[in-house]
PDB file of all heavy atoms in Angstrom:
ATOM      1  N   ALA A   1     -75.449  -0.612 -72.884  1.00 51.00           N
ATOM      2  CA  ALA A   1     -74.278   0.032 -73.170  1.00 51.00           C
ATOM      3  C   ALA A   1     -74.168   1.391 -72.384  1.00 51.00           C
ATOM      4  O   ALA A   1     -73.134   1.754 -71.864  1.00 51.00           O
ATOM      5  CB  ALA A   1     -74.190   0.384 -74.691  1.00 51.00           C
ATOM      6  N   VAL A   2     -75.336   2.052 -72.284  1.00 53.00           N
ATOM      7  CA  VAL A   2     -75.299   3.310 -71.464  1.00 53.00           C
ATOM      8  C   VAL A   2     -74.970   3.092 -69.956  1.00 53.00           C
ATOM      9  O   VAL A   2     -74.214   3.858 -69.424  1.00 53.00           O
ATOM     10  CB  VAL A   2     -76.687   4.118 -71.606  1.00 53.00           C
ATOM     11  CG1 VAL A   2     -76.777   5.273 -70.706  1.00 53.00           C
ATOM     12  CG2 VAL A   2     -76.867   4.527 -72.988  1.00 53.00           C
ATOM     13  N   ILE A   3     -75.581   2.081 -69.466  1.00 66.00           N
ATOM     14  CA  ILE A   3     -75.491   1.652 -68.051  1.00 66.00           C
ATOM     15  C   ILE A   3     -74.086   1.374 -67.861  1.00 66.00           C
ATOM     16  O   ILE A   3     -73.396   1.656 -66.910  1.00 66.00           O
ATOM     17  CB  ILE A   3     -76.447   0.577 -67.608  1.00 66.00           C
ATOM     18  CG1 ILE A   3     -77.811   1.076 -67.603  1.00 66.00           C
ATOM     19  CG2 ILE A   3     -76.002   0.051 -66.319  1.00 66.00           C
ATOM     20  CD1 ILE A   3     -78.882   0.038 -67.347  1.00 66.00           C
ATOM     21  N   SER A   4     -73.355   0.560 -68.897  1.00 55.00           N
ATOM     22  CA  SER A   4     -72.065   0.126 -68.624  1.00 55.00           C
ATOM     23  C   SER A   4     -71.134   1.310 -68.694  1.00 55.00           C
ATOM     24  O   SER A   4     -70.209   1.357 -67.851  1.00 55.00           O
ATOM     25  CB  SER A   4     -71.618  -0.831 -69.896  1.00 55.00           C
ATOM     26  OG  SER A   4     -72.574  -2.019 -69.853  1.00 55.00           O
ATOM     27  N   VAL A   5     -71.305   2.324 -69.489  1.00 48.00           N
ATOM     28  CA  VAL A   5     -70.582   3.480 -69.569  1.00 48.00           C
ATOM     29  C   VAL A   5     -70.590   4.249 -68.322  1.00 48.00           C
ATOM     30  O   VAL A   5     -69.487   4.607 -67.704  1.00 48.00           O
ATOM     31  CB  VAL A   5     -70.951   4.479 -70.686  1.00 48.00           C
ATOM     32  CG1 VAL A   5     -70.259   5.796 -70.673  1.00 48.00           C
ATOM     33  CG2 VAL A   5     -70.614   3.743 -72.087  1.00 48.00           C
ATOM     34  N   ILE A   6     -71.725   4.317 -67.737  1.00 58.00           N
ATOM     35  CA  ILE A   6     -71.911   4.980 -66.417  1.00 58.00           C
ATOM     36  C   ILE A   6     -71.162   4.319 -65.269  1.00 58.00           C
ATOM     37  O   ILE A   6     -70.379   4.950 -64.502  1.00 58.00           O
ATOM     38  CB  ILE A   6     -73.437   5.069 -66.062  1.00 58.00           C
ATOM     39  CG1 ILE A   6     -74.116   6.083 -66.996  1.00 58.00           C
ATOM     40  CG2 ILE A   6     -73.600   5.654 -64.630  1.00 58.00           C
ATOM     41  CD1 ILE A   6     -75.659   6.104 -66.912  1.00 58.00           C
ATOM     42  N   ILE A   7     -71.257   2.947 -65.297  1.00 58.00           N
ATOM     43  CA  ILE A   7     -70.595   2.131 -64.191  1.00 58.00           C
ATOM     44  C   ILE A   7     -69.102   2.378 -64.346  1.00 58.00           C
ATOM     45  O   ILE A   7     -68.469   2.565 -63.350  1.00 58.00           O
ATOM     46  CB  ILE A   7     -70.966   0.772 -64.282  1.00 58.00           C
ATOM     47  CG1 ILE A   7     -72.504   0.458 -63.916  1.00 58.00           C
ATOM     48  CG2 ILE A   7     -70.149  -0.243 -63.492  1.00 58.00           C
ATOM     49  CD1 ILE A   7     -73.134  -0.842 -64.115  1.00 58.00           C
ATOM     50  N   ILE A   8     -68.505   2.235 -65.582  1.00 52.00           N
ATOM     51  CA  ILE A   8     -67.173   2.315 -65.775  1.00 52.00           C
ATOM     52  C   ILE A   8     -66.682   3.697 -65.346  1.00 52.00           C
ATOM     53  O   ILE A   8     -65.627   3.884 -64.707  1.00 52.00           O
ATOM     54  CB  ILE A   8     -66.843   2.126 -67.311  1.00 52.00           C
ATOM     55  CG1 ILE A   8     -67.107   0.607 -67.773  1.00 52.00           C
ATOM     56  CG2 ILE A   8     -65.403   2.572 -67.597  1.00 52.00           C
ATOM     57  CD1 ILE A   8     -67.016   0.489 -69.085  1.00 52.00           C
ATOM     58  N   ALA A   9     -67.402   4.747 -65.667  1.00 45.00           N
ATOM     59  CA  ALA A   9     -67.125   6.184 -65.267  1.00 45.00           C
ATOM     60  C   ALA A   9     -67.094   6.187 -63.742  1.00 45.00           C
ATOM     61  O   ALA A   9     -66.044   6.909 -63.149  1.00 45.00           O
ATOM     62  CB  ALA A   9     -68.014   7.142 -65.785  1.00 45.00           C
ATOM     63  N   ILE A  10     -67.987   5.690 -63.050  1.00 48.00           N
ATOM     64  CA  ILE A  10     -68.066   5.657 -61.693  1.00 48.00           C
ATOM     65  C   ILE A  10     -66.868   4.966 -61.075  1.00 48.00           C
ATOM     66  O   ILE A  10     -66.178   5.432 -60.096  1.00 48.00           O
ATOM     67  CB  ILE A  10     -69.372   5.171 -61.016  1.00 48.00           C
ATOM     68  CG1 ILE A  10     -70.501   5.928 -61.414  1.00 48.00           C
ATOM     69  CG2 ILE A  10     -69.324   4.940 -59.517  1.00 48.00           C
ATOM     70  CD1 ILE A  10     -71.926   5.312 -61.040  1.00 48.00           C
ATOM     71  N   ILE A  11     -66.546   3.742 -61.579  1.00 48.00           N
ATOM     72  CA  ILE A  11     -65.389   3.076 -61.068  1.00 48.00           C
ATOM     73  C   ILE A  11     -64.001   3.793 -61.369  1.00 48.00           C
ATOM     74  O   ILE A  11     -63.155   3.834 -60.398  1.00 48.00           O
ATOM     75  CB  ILE A  11     -65.351   1.643 -61.812  1.00 48.00           C
ATOM     76  CG1 ILE A  11     -66.491   0.787 -61.357  1.00 48.00           C
ATOM     77  CG2 ILE A  11     -64.012   0.920 -61.433  1.00 48.00           C
ATOM     78  CD1 ILE A  11     -66.622  -0.534 -62.189  1.00 48.00           C
ATOM     79  N   TYR A  12     -63.947   4.338 -62.569  1.00 42.00           N
ATOM     80  CA  TYR A  12     -62.739   5.162 -62.732  1.00 42.00           C
ATOM     81  C   TYR A  12     -62.526   6.306 -61.880  1.00 42.00           C
ATOM     82  O   TYR A  12     -61.446   6.580 -61.312  1.00 42.00           O
ATOM     83  CB  TYR A  12     -62.821   5.635 -64.196  1.00 42.00           C
ATOM     84  CG  TYR A  12     -61.647   6.605 -64.618  1.00 42.00           C
ATOM     85  CD1 TYR A  12     -60.430   6.001 -64.954  1.00 42.00           C
ATOM     86  CD2 TYR A  12     -61.831   8.006 -64.540  1.00 42.00           C
ATOM     87  CE1 TYR A  12     -59.233   6.845 -65.321  1.00 42.00           C
ATOM     88  CE2 TYR A  12     -60.698   8.693 -64.948  1.00 42.00           C
ATOM     89  CZ  TYR A  12     -59.544   8.215 -65.271  1.00 42.00           C
ATOM     90  OH  TYR A  12     -58.460   8.866 -65.642  1.00 42.00           O
ATOM     91  N   ASN A  13     -63.651   7.009 -61.645  1.00 45.00           N
ATOM     92  CA  ASN A  13     -63.523   8.206 -60.713  1.00 45.00           C
ATOM     93  C   ASN A  13     -63.275   7.730 -59.312  1.00 45.00           C
ATOM     94  O   ASN A  13     -62.655   8.492 -58.458  1.00 45.00           O
ATOM     95  CB  ASN A  13     -64.869   9.039 -60.749  1.00 45.00           C
ATOM     96  CG  ASN A  13     -64.948   9.721 -62.128  1.00 45.00           C
ATOM     97  OD1 ASN A  13     -63.854  10.140 -62.646  1.00 45.00           O
ATOM     98  ND2 ASN A  13     -66.224   9.992 -62.500  1.00 45.00           N
ATOM     99  N   THR A  14     -63.804   6.574 -58.915  1.00 43.00           N
ATOM    100  CA  THR A  14     -63.445   6.032 -57.530  1.00 43.00           C
ATOM    101  C   THR A  14     -62.152   5.751 -57.410  1.00 43.00           C
ATOM    102  O   THR A  14     -61.385   5.939 -56.490  1.00 43.00           O
ATOM    103  CB  THR A  14     -64.511   4.897 -57.260  1.00 43.00           C
ATOM    104  OG1 THR A  14     -65.745   5.245 -57.386  1.00 43.00           O
ATOM    105  CG2 THR A  14     -64.167   4.385 -55.900  1.00 43.00           C
ATOM    106  N   LEU A  15     -61.522   5.093 -58.447  1.00 48.00           N
ATOM    107  CA  LEU A  15     -60.155   4.678 -58.336  1.00 48.00           C
ATOM    108  C   LEU A  15     -59.154   5.721 -58.647  1.00 48.00           C
ATOM    109  O   LEU A  15     -57.968   5.605 -58.124  1.00 48.00           O
ATOM    110  CB  LEU A  15     -59.858   3.546 -59.271  1.00 48.00           C
ATOM    111  CG  LEU A  15     -60.705   2.198 -59.062  1.00 48.00           C
ATOM    112  CD1 LEU A  15     -60.416   1.210 -60.357  1.00 48.00           C
ATOM    113  CD2 LEU A  15     -60.435   1.481 -57.742  1.00 48.00           C
ATOM    114  N   ASN A  16     -59.467   6.687 -59.345  1.00 52.00           N
ATOM    115  CA  ASN A  16     -58.554   7.790 -59.699  1.00 52.00           C
ATOM    116  C   ASN A  16     -58.498   8.818 -58.630  1.00 52.00           C
ATOM    117  O   ASN A  16     -58.639  10.010 -58.854  1.00 52.00           O
ATOM    118  CB  ASN A  16     -59.071   8.413 -60.949  1.00 52.00           C
ATOM    119  CG  ASN A  16     -58.018   9.336 -61.582  1.00 52.00           C
ATOM    120  OD1 ASN A  16     -56.864   9.004 -61.419  1.00 52.00           O
ATOM    121  ND2 ASN A  16     -58.508  10.405 -62.224  1.00 52.00           N
ATOM    122  N   VAL A  17     -58.293   8.341 -57.326  1.00 67.00           N
ATOM    123  CA  VAL A  17     -58.078   9.145 -56.283  1.00 67.00           C
ATOM    124  C   VAL A  17     -56.770   9.754 -56.237  1.00 67.00           C
ATOM    125  O   VAL A  17     -55.738   9.044 -56.580  1.00 67.00           O
ATOM    126  CB  VAL A  17     -58.465   8.319 -54.943  1.00 67.00           C
ATOM    127  CG1 VAL A  17     -58.197   9.260 -53.735  1.00 67.00           C
ATOM    128  CG2 VAL A  17     -59.889   7.754 -55.024  1.00 67.00           C
ATOM    129  N   TYR A  18     -56.692  11.005 -55.726  1.00 72.00           N
ATOM    130  CA  TYR A  18     -55.364  11.708 -55.652  1.00 72.00           C
ATOM    131  C   TYR A  18     -54.461  10.858 -54.735  1.00 72.00           C
ATOM    132  O   TYR A  18     -54.764  10.594 -53.634  1.00 72.00           O
ATOM    133  CB  TYR A  18     -55.640  13.093 -55.072  1.00 72.00           C
ATOM    134  CG  TYR A  18     -54.230  13.766 -54.693  1.00 72.00           C
ATOM    135  CD1 TYR A  18     -53.357  14.233 -55.496  1.00 72.00           C
ATOM    136  CD2 TYR A  18     -54.037  13.965 -53.229  1.00 72.00           C
ATOM    137  CE1 TYR A  18     -52.171  14.760 -55.093  1.00 72.00           C
ATOM    138  CE2 TYR A  18     -52.907  14.548 -52.884  1.00 72.00           C
ATOM    139  CZ  TYR A  18     -51.964  14.935 -53.761  1.00 72.00           C
ATOM    140  OH  TYR A  18     -50.764  15.460 -53.253  1.00 72.00           O
ATOM    141  N   GLN A  19     -53.323  10.550 -55.285  1.00 92.00           N
ATOM    142  CA  GLN A  19     -52.216   9.866 -54.429  1.00 92.00           C
ATOM    143  C   GLN A  19     -51.088  10.728 -54.364  1.00 92.00           C
ATOM    144  O   GLN A  19     -50.427  11.177 -55.228  1.00 92.00           O
ATOM    145  CB  GLN A  19     -51.829   8.656 -55.251  1.00 92.00           C
ATOM    146  CG  GLN A  19     -52.875   7.608 -55.324  1.00 92.00           C
ATOM    147  CD  GLN A  19     -53.202   6.898 -53.976  1.00 92.00           C
ATOM    148  OE1 GLN A  19     -52.336   6.919 -53.047  1.00 92.00           O
ATOM    149  NE2 GLN A  19     -54.402   6.446 -53.819  1.00 92.00           N
ATOM    150  N   PRO A  20     -50.738  11.234 -53.163  1.00 93.00           N
ATOM    151  CA  PRO A  20     -49.497  12.112 -52.975  1.00 93.00           C
ATOM    152  C   PRO A  20     -48.187  11.472 -53.234  1.00 93.00           C
ATOM    153  O   PRO A  20     -48.106  10.248 -53.179  1.00 93.00           O
ATOM    154  CB  PRO A  20     -49.696  12.492 -51.477  1.00 93.00           C
ATOM    155  CG  PRO A  20     -50.381  11.398 -50.873  1.00 93.00           C
ATOM    156  CD  PRO A  20     -51.383  10.961 -51.863  1.00 93.00           C
ATOM    157  N   LEU A  21     -47.290  12.212 -53.567  1.00 97.00           N
ATOM    158  CA  LEU A  21     -45.952  11.593 -53.877  1.00 97.00           C
ATOM    159  C   LEU A  21     -45.282  11.187 -52.505  1.00 97.00           C
ATOM    160  O   LEU A  21     -45.566  11.687 -51.509  1.00 97.00           O
ATOM    161  CB  LEU A  21     -44.982  12.660 -54.425  1.00 97.00           C
ATOM    162  CG  LEU A  21     -45.408  13.232 -55.758  1.00 97.00           C
ATOM    163  CD1 LEU A  21     -44.443  14.369 -56.262  1.00 97.00           C
ATOM    164  CD2 LEU A  21     -45.572  12.149 -56.898  1.00 97.00           C
ATOM    165  N   PRO A  22     -44.492  10.084 -52.624  1.00 97.00           N
ATOM    166  CA  PRO A  22     -43.853   9.624 -51.424  1.00 97.00           C
ATOM    167  C   PRO A  22     -42.861  10.736 -50.863  1.00 97.00           C
ATOM    168  O   PRO A  22     -42.376  11.564 -51.637  1.00 97.00           O
ATOM    169  CB  PRO A  22     -43.004   8.380 -51.761  1.00 97.00           C
ATOM    170  CG  PRO A  22     -42.891   8.518 -53.306  1.00 97.00           C
ATOM    171  CD  PRO A  22     -44.025   9.299 -53.841  1.00 97.00           C
ATOM    172  N   ILE A  23     -42.460  10.610 -49.559  1.00 96.00           N
ATOM    173  CA  ILE A  23     -41.486  11.575 -48.987  1.00 96.00           C
ATOM    174  C   ILE A  23     -40.286  10.567 -48.700  1.00 96.00           C
ATOM    175  O   ILE A  23     -40.388   9.640 -47.930  1.00 96.00           O
ATOM    176  CB  ILE A  23     -41.954  12.153 -47.696  1.00 96.00           C
ATOM    177  CG1 ILE A  23     -43.069  13.010 -47.907  1.00 96.00           C
ATOM    178  CG2 ILE A  23     -40.821  12.899 -46.978  1.00 96.00           C
ATOM    179  CD1 ILE A  23     -43.814  13.574 -46.753  1.00 96.00           C
ATOM    180  N   PHE A  24     -39.272  10.705 -49.457  1.00 95.00           N
ATOM    181  CA  PHE A  24     -38.100   9.782 -49.488  1.00 95.00           C
ATOM    182  C   PHE A  24     -37.268  10.031 -48.213  1.00 95.00           C
ATOM    183  O   PHE A  24     -36.740  11.107 -47.948  1.00 95.00           O
ATOM    184  CB  PHE A  24     -37.226   9.951 -50.723  1.00 95.00           C
ATOM    185  CG  PHE A  24     -37.916   9.313 -51.947  1.00 95.00           C
ATOM    186  CD1 PHE A  24     -38.764  10.072 -52.743  1.00 95.00           C
ATOM    187  CD2 PHE A  24     -37.880   7.912 -52.119  1.00 95.00           C
ATOM    188  CE1 PHE A  24     -39.348   9.477 -53.946  1.00 95.00           C
ATOM    189  CE2 PHE A  24     -38.492   7.258 -53.254  1.00 95.00           C
ATOM    190  CZ  PHE A  24     -39.194   8.086 -54.196  1.00 95.00           C
ATOM    191  N   GLN A  25     -37.000   8.946 -47.494  1.00 95.00           N
ATOM    192  CA  GLN A  25     -36.184   8.996 -46.300  1.00 95.00           C
ATOM    193  C   GLN A  25     -34.859   8.053 -46.685  1.00 95.00           C
ATOM    194  O   GLN A  25     -35.047   7.120 -47.588  1.00 95.00           O
ATOM    195  CB  GLN A  25     -36.882   8.339 -45.085  1.00 95.00           C
ATOM    196  CG  GLN A  25     -38.073   9.147 -44.635  1.00 95.00           C
ATOM    197  CD  GLN A  25     -38.046  10.535 -44.260  1.00 95.00           C
ATOM    198  OE1 GLN A  25     -36.867  10.983 -43.790  1.00 95.00           O
ATOM    199  NE2 GLN A  25     -38.937  11.363 -44.394  1.00 95.00           N
ATOM    200  N   PRO A  26     -33.852   8.262 -46.125  1.00 93.00           N
ATOM    201  CA  PRO A  26     -32.614   7.520 -46.284  1.00 93.00           C
ATOM    202  C   PRO A  26     -32.829   5.912 -46.336  1.00 93.00           C
ATOM    203  O   PRO A  26     -32.330   5.264 -47.124  1.00 93.00           O
ATOM    204  CB  PRO A  26     -31.605   8.028 -45.247  1.00 93.00           C
ATOM    205  CG  PRO A  26     -31.917   9.446 -45.022  1.00 93.00           C
ATOM    206  CD  PRO A  26     -33.474   9.465 -45.064  1.00 93.00           C
ATOM    207  N   ASN A  27     -33.624   5.591 -45.369  1.00 91.00           N
ATOM    208  CA  ASN A  27     -33.742   4.071 -45.116  1.00 91.00           C
ATOM    209  C   ASN A  27     -34.644   3.465 -46.260  1.00 91.00           C
ATOM    210  O   ASN A  27     -34.802   2.251 -46.325  1.00 91.00           O
ATOM    211  CB  ASN A  27     -34.347   3.739 -43.725  1.00 91.00           C
ATOM    212  CG  ASN A  27     -35.871   4.034 -43.658  1.00 91.00           C
ATOM    213  OD1 ASN A  27     -36.351   5.084 -44.198  1.00 91.00           O
ATOM    214  ND2 ASN A  27     -36.557   3.201 -43.137  1.00 91.00           N
ATOM    215  N   MET A  28     -35.318   4.276 -47.035  1.00 92.00           N
ATOM    216  CA  MET A  28     -36.087   3.767 -48.239  1.00 92.00           C
ATOM    217  C   MET A  28     -35.315   3.623 -49.494  1.00 92.00           C
ATOM    218  O   MET A  28     -35.911   3.113 -50.473  1.00 92.00           O
ATOM    219  CB  MET A  28     -37.334   4.892 -48.475  1.00 92.00           C
ATOM    220  CG  MET A  28     -38.189   5.088 -47.295  1.00 92.00           C
ATOM    221  SD  MET A  28     -39.368   6.575 -47.572  1.00 92.00           S
ATOM    222  CE  MET A  28     -40.096   6.090 -49.093  1.00 92.00           C
TER     223      MET A  28
END
């Protein structure tokens, strides 16, 4: 259980990377 929690936390932090907002252009 402890190892699972650690693995889940690592995966979450890896996937939870900052994603900038799009810059909207007319053709979008």
Side-chain angles (χ1 to χ4, degrees):
V2 170
I3 293 173
S4 296
V5 169
I6 293 172
I7 292 173
I8 290 171
I10 292 172
I11 292 173
Y12 175 80
N13 288 328
T14 301
L15 294 178
N16 194 30
V17 177
Y18 165 71
Q19 293 290 331
L21 299 177
I23 299 173
F24 286 93
Q25 304 295 337
N27 76 314
M28 297 167 59

